[in-house]
Amino acid sequence: MAESKRGPQLARAVSKALALAGAVLLSACATVVPRGPAPAPDRPTAERPRPSRGDAGGVIAGVPQDAARNRVALLVPLSGGNAGVGRSIANATQLALLDARSQQVRITNYDTATGAAAAANRAIAEGAQLILGPLLADDVRAVTPIARRAGVPVISFSNDVTLGGNGTFVLGYAPSQSVERVVKFARSQGVTNFGGLVPNALYGSRASSVFLRAVEQAGGRVVSLQTFDRAPAAVAQAVTRMNKDAPFDAVLVADGSATAATAAPLLRRASPSTRLLGTELWNSDRAVATQAALNGAWFASVPDNLYRQYAQNYRARFNVAPYRLSSLGYDAVLLVVRISRDWRVGSAFPQSRLRDADGFAGIDGAFRFGRDGVAERALEVQEVRGGTTVTVSPAPTRFED
């Protein structure tokens, strides 16, 4: 990304924030280990916290009794089909409070699986001044008007950029940013002719729009863009249609690694040297590196260097690997802890601080909230190589204005 007038300030702000994140992680783990597989969402593994290292703010279920600390509500699914990822996020917020040794914030967990609106009403009635979550877009839509009426900001974990604004902030990994980043990198490596495979759904529609715009802005050309339904033979049929316009320098597959791995050998029948490109979905897809057909593929991702240390710390405490999305919970707490230095106990959360143009940083690297309330992230580009992923283009240290 190009340098901006705020570049030096951002670099300093990010450096300080990363130093905090690195310090709290390294205080609990001295070595870096590869990411371990997370439990499958439909068979979540029970997470058993070890004895506490002392009260560092704490995470409780129920009414917070500590009137000396600012009250933050965490709204995530703690039961039902998404309980695994919800509990992992909840554990991550606890870990962040312990690591940061915050004495100014108390987090209370609320289960959105039994009703996000009910959870929000209960949280606000019990004194929450800030809401972290929910995770699912529909739950954010249910919570937003309730929180807005109460004047309580929401930092959601969704990646739906249409939810941002009017007191709601989107911390999730936005698909548009990952597509733009990987297309820009591919173009810098000489890729000119692009193809695209996108699911016939809302995600695919949004991804295709961003893809077409990103390729045009980068000076490339989209030779073919094909959609596919969720049917066993649909991907093969889409590739057959696409191959009529071959060859391609690179093809974006706006879906998970399984779809991309299915498409790869079919695409290479007509374009032997084509490079596959992925979206932010690959960042949390544990199977990406294990798919031999994806060797050489590129995808944009939040940086993983601090995440690996965080994962070791998490495993040491909870005896299980974290879900990749749990880092959103950790980073949300780091953000709140930083702002809490200027947040007088009992007063409204200083929402304007979330719009700090110099940005913030945490496990997932540097980010800042734009006017639309969506987190703009500094992304790196990774390549699938020999059963692992390697960084081929580091995350930038400066945001464009």
Side-chain angles (χ1 to χ4, degrees), residues 297-314:
W298 292 328
F299 66 101
S301 169
V302 293
D304 268 346
N305 54 331
L306 286 178
Y307 177 84
R308 293 188 177 99
Q309 299 177 55
Y310 154 78
Q312 179 185 7
N313 194 1
Y314 185 106

Side-chain angles (χ1 to χ4, degrees), residues 35-304:
R35 291 181 293 185
D42 58 343
R43 296 182 61 186
T45 303
E47 301 181 351
R48 302 177 301 279
R50 294 183 177 180
S52 173
R53 294 179 296 187
D55 183 12
V59 179
I60 66 173
V63 180
Q65 300 301 314
D66 190 350
R69 305 180 193 188
N70 285 311
R71 300 178 182 181
V72 176
L74 176 68
L75 272 61
V76 289
L78 298 173
S79 59
N82 293 308
V85 65
R87 286 199 300 269
S88 194
I89 292 173
N91 287 341
T93 62
Q94 178 186 5
L95 194 60
L97 280 178
L98 291 168
D99 286 345
R101 296 181 173 85
S102 173
Q103 297 293 331
Q104 298 169 287
V105 175
R106 180 178 288 281
I107 297 179
T108 308
N109 298 339
Y110 298 86
D111 186 4
T112 56
T114 55
N121 279 319
R122 181 184 169 201
I124 292 170
E126 293 178 357
Q129 300 143 286
L130 173 68
I131 291 175
L132 303 182
L135 174 65
L136 304 179
D138 286 345
D139 287 346
V140 179
R141 293 187 185 94
V143 166
T144 293
I146 297 169
R148 189 177 300 150
R149 286 194 296 269
V152 174
V154 174
I155 301 178
S156 79
F157 303 132
S158 171
N159 67 351
D160 188 338
V161 298
T162 66
L163 299 173
N166 295 318
T168 298
F169 298 82
V170 177
L171 190 60
Y173 316 131
S176 59
Q177 296 176 28
S178 68
V179 172
E180 291 167 352
R181 176 74 167 98
V182 76
V183 165
K184 186 175 182 180
F185 173 75
R187 188 71 187 91
S188 74
Q189 301 302 300
V191 172
T192 300
N193 296 324
F194 291 80
L197 286 170
V198 299
N200 190 16
L202 180 60
Y203 179 90
S205 176
R206 291 176 177 173
S208 61
S209 297
V210 173
F211 176 57
L212 290 168
R213 183 176 66 248
V215 172
E216 180 182 6
Q217 292 176 344
R221 184 167 68 104
V222 176
V223 179
S224 180
L225 180 63
Q226 299 293 332
T227 62
F228 58 89
D229 296 322
R230 298 295 185 185
V235 174
Q237 293 169 355
V239 172
T240 298
R241 297 192 299 270
M242 173 172 283
N243 281 346
K244 295 176 181 179
D245 298 312
F248 307 96
D249 300 323
V251 174
L252 176 78
V253 182
D255 207 353
S257 66
T259 300
T262 298
L266 304 176
L267 287 167
R268 288 174 180 142
R269 290 177 184 174
S271 299
S273 60
T274 192
R275 177 89 62 168
L276 266 66
L277 309 178
T279 71
E280 93 296 340
L281 294 175
W282 293 21
N283 178 63
S284 56
D285 190 337
R286 301 285 178 176
V288 167
T290 66
Q291 300 277 9
L294 299 185
N295 201 48
W298 292 328
F299 66 101
S301 169
V302 293
D304 268 346

Side-chain angles (χ1 to χ4, degrees), residues 25-48:
L25 285 170
L26 292 174
S27 66
C29 56
T31 60
V32 178
V33 298
R35 291 181 293 185
D42 58 343
R43 296 182 61 186
T45 303
E47 301 181 351
R48 302 177 301 279

Side-chain angles (χ1 to χ4, degrees), residues 366-391:
F367 67 94
R368 66 177 179 181
F369 291 108
R371 293 180 180 178
D372 58 0
V374 176
E376 176 188 0
R377 293 185 174 277
L379 302 177
E380 67 183 18
V381 176
Q382 296 184 20
E383 179 179 317
V384 180
R385 187 185 299 172
T388 187
T389 59
V390 297
T391 301

